[in-house]
Amino acid sequence: MLHRTKFISNKITNQIMSHHFLRQNCRTMSTRRFNNVKDEDEQYHNKLRRKTENEEAQIYLLKSRGQHLLMNPRVLNTIVQKSNILPTDTVLEIGPGTGNLTLKLLEVAEKVIAIEIDKRMVEILHKRVAERGLQDRLTVICQDALKTEFPQFDLMVANIPYGISSPLVAKLVYGKNSYRSGTLLLQKEFARRLLANPGDSEFNRLAVNVKLVADVEFVMNVSKKDFLPCPKVDSSVVKIHPKTEIPEVDFNEWCAFTRTCFTKKNKTLGAIFKQKGMLMELMKLQETKGDEENNTIYSDYHVNDAEDEDGARNEGNGNFSSTVGKDLNLFKEIINDILRSGGFEDKRPSKLSHEELLDLLSLFNQARIHFHGQVKPMDESEAELASAFDPL
């Protein structure tokens, strides 16, 4: 009996040791693989940081210009891979910095056009590209990307400086250049707003205006630790695809319309269009539009009834405020009739699809009510269009 007990005890001990051995080996292999990747990442980060700090010791990275260099090679490789670059493609890169992404792009594209405003960065970029013998495939434009006319390109691939995200996205999707896609590294919060859909709490004017003409695809999140210097927030990569079919609408009119609707996106349209200040501004705009077109299309309501024969406004006339009040009430009723006719009075902008918003704008325009003002010079017009992409 004692012998049998000892035998069982030894057998249990052997099984425990065997199980412990297998568990240690399995865990060790898995852990080793994980730790190796982790160690390699840490070693690479340290090596790159030391190298960058040594090479660029004389360069002060300006956070005000969004100069955060992407260092992680796995992220860089993924961005290039997800961009689906063809050997015949010309890639436009905005803000290449010292060229970490540029070098990856040059390996797969026929040509890279980089727009960089900082001359110090341009010097380092040229040096690094020349060391690889790829200088014949790179064109650098040392100018402000927002003020420079984009050359012809097939794809945009860029680590976008945070401060110019809105106007740059506007310039891409509403610009004159045809393109296949744009793979952009953006601030995570900005990307989330860009990806929002009707009904989402973050659905906003930015998403409405961009998605009128393009589809936006989420690619990946990027940790702030992958940058040098480390920014305060994480980033995300998105991919923008232009739509093949775009609604026939005046884009300036559309952007002005969405700006009006999304000032209070969670209120009903009926409540939004009851605001006196907004109604006054909109009514005045209709008179301006009527003057532009050399006709009195809004003769039923205008704010100049209290002007004297010389054209000077008679502010002291007590009838002026009452006249404007009558005009405003009439204009308000016209707006309400439009909303009621389309069943929009109790609807909220944050819940409306593009089709519904386009229908509402069409109802306003059919009633000869417009949201965009006088024709402006090209640069002012572009600035206005870009401002319509602020993520409110």
Side-chain angles (χ1 to χ4, degrees):
M1 185 68 179
L2 183 62
H3 175 74
R4 179 174 176 78
T5 302
K6 185 177 181 180
F7 173 76
I8 293 174
S9 177
N10 289 338
K11 188 173 182 181
I12 292 173
T13 301
N14 290 336
Q15 287 179 342
I16 291 174
M17 291 179 66
S18 177
H19 179 70
H20 181 71
F21 174 79
L22 290 172
R23 188 175 64 179
Q24 278 292 106
N25 274 272
C26 291
R27 187 185 67 180
T28 301
M29 290 175 66
S30 175
T31 305
R32 187 187 302 124
R33 190 179 300 112
F34 174 78
N35 285 339
N36 282 345
V37 172
K38 189 175 181 181
D39 291 343
E40 288 175 3
D41 279 349
E42 290 179 356
Q43 290 174 6
Y44 188 85
H45 274 286
N46 293 333
K47 181 180 178 182
L48 263 182
R49 286 175 190 276
R50 286 195 301 270
K51 182 179 179 182
T52 304
E53 288 166 1
N54 290 334
E55 288 184 349
E56 303 165 12
Q58 304 302 320
I59 289 190
Y60 180 77
L61 297 176
L62 302 173
K63 288 188 178 182
S64 61
R65 284 187 176 177
Q67 291 179 341
H68 299 277
L69 307 180
L70 180 59
M71 309 300 290
N72 191 326
R74 289 192 295 166
V75 176
L76 291 166
N77 288 333
T78 302
I79 290 174
V80 174
Q81 178 186 359
K82 294 294 184 179
S83 299
N84 298 321
I85 302 171
L86 301 176
T88 55
D89 281 337
T90 295
V91 177
L92 179 65
E93 184 185 8
I94 308 298
T98 57
N100 292 341
L101 179 58
T102 314
L103 292 172
K104 301 282 186 181
L105 296 172
L106 287 168
E107 292 175 359
V108 292
E110 180 178 43
K111 185 178 181 181
V112 174
I113 302 173
I115 302 179
E116 174 58 63
I117 194 172
D118 194 330
K119 294 180 180 179
R120 304 169 306 159
M121 298 292 183
V122 173
E123 291 178 6
I124 294 176
L125 178 61
H126 277 307
K127 179 181 176 182
R128 294 185 68 188
V129 171
E131 289 175 352
R132 302 283 186 93
L134 300 171
Q135 62 271 22
D136 293 339
R137 293 159 63 182
L138 174 67
T139 300
V140 179
I141 301 174
C142 188
Q143 294 182 26
D144 186 336
L146 297 181
K147 299 178 181 178
T148 304
E149 184 176 349
F150 287 166
Q152 290 297 319
F153 63 95
D154 300 298
L155 305 169
M156 179 184 285
V157 184
N159 172 17
I160 302 298
Y162 291 165
I164 63 170
S165 297
S166 287
L168 196 61
V169 169
K171 189 169 182 176
L172 172 65
V173 300
Y174 280 95
K176 301 175 184 177
N177 298 75
S178 60
Y179 66 101
R180 199 163 72 246
S181 69
T183 306
L184 308 179
L185 179 59
L186 304 164
Q187 186 177 348
K188 189 174 183 179
E189 178 65 21
F190 184 90
R192 193 157 50 224
R193 289 174 176 269
L194 191 60
L195 291 159
N197 293 309
D200 295 345
S201 61
E202 294 177 331
F203 189 56
N204 58 92
R205 195 168 81 238
L206 171 70
V208 166
N209 290 339
V210 171
K211 291 184 176 181
L212 178 71
V213 295
D215 295 314
V216 185
E217 170 193 356
F218 172 78
V219 176
M220 65 185 297
N221 288 322
V222 180
S223 171
K224 58 186 177 182
K225 296 179 181 178
D226 293 327
F227 294 87
L228 180 71
C230 181
K232 294 181 179 180
V233 296
D234 293 329
S235 300
S236 295
V237 179
V238 301
K239 192 171 183 180
I240 298 176
H241 306 268
K243 289 184 176 179
T244 54
E245 296 183 3
I246 298 175
E248 292 184 7
V249 62
D250 182 283
F251 293 138
N252 285 316
E253 174 73 4
W254 166 263
C255 290
F257 167 68
T258 57
R259 182 172 59 247
T260 301
C261 292
F262 278 81
T263 51
K264 302 288 184 181
K265 66 175 185 177
N266 292 317
K267 286 193 172 185
T268 64
L269 287 163
I272 292 172
F273 283 95
K274 282 181 182 177
Q275 299 174 71
K276 185 176 179 180
M278 187 274 294
L279 285 171
M280 286 289 291
E281 183 180 348
L282 192 57
M283 187 170 71
K284 181 65 177 177
L285 175 62
Q286 308 319 306
E287 182 183 85
T288 304
K289 294 287 287 187
D291 290 343
E292 274 183 7
E293 296 168 10
N294 198 26
N295 61 66
T296 54
I297 58 176
Y298 298 103
S299 57
D300 288 339
Y301 50 88
H302 51 87
V303 297
N304 290 328
D305 282 348
E307 291 181 355
D308 59 24
E309 292 181 356
D310 295 327
R313 187 181 300 278
N314 187 358
E315 298 288 355
N317 192 333
N319 292 329
F320 174 73
S321 59
S322 61
T323 301
V324 172
K326 290 178 182 178
D327 291 341
L328 188 63
N329 287 333
L330 177 59
F331 185 71
K332 182 179 178 181
E333 280 304 312
I334 293 173
I335 296 291
N336 287 338
D337 287 343
I338 294 172
L339 295 175
R340 281 193 292 266
S341 69
F344 289 104
E345 190 175 23
D346 296 323
K347 293 186 177 180
R348 305 173 193 276
S350 60
K351 308 290 184 182
L352 296 180
S353 66
H354 281 89
E355 290 74 16
E356 290 174 308
L357 288 168
L358 285 166
D359 287 344
L360 178 56
L361 178 58
S362 177
L363 289 175
F364 277 117
N365 290 166
Q366 286 173 20
R368 298 201 290 185
I369 292 179
H370 299 270
F371 294 82
H372 184 249
Q374 294 174 298
V375 177
K376 297 180 176 62
M378 183 59 66
D379 55 344
E380 292 185 25
S381 178
E382 289 179 355
E384 182 178 3
L385 184 63
S387 70
F389 284 74
D390 293 336
L392 297 180

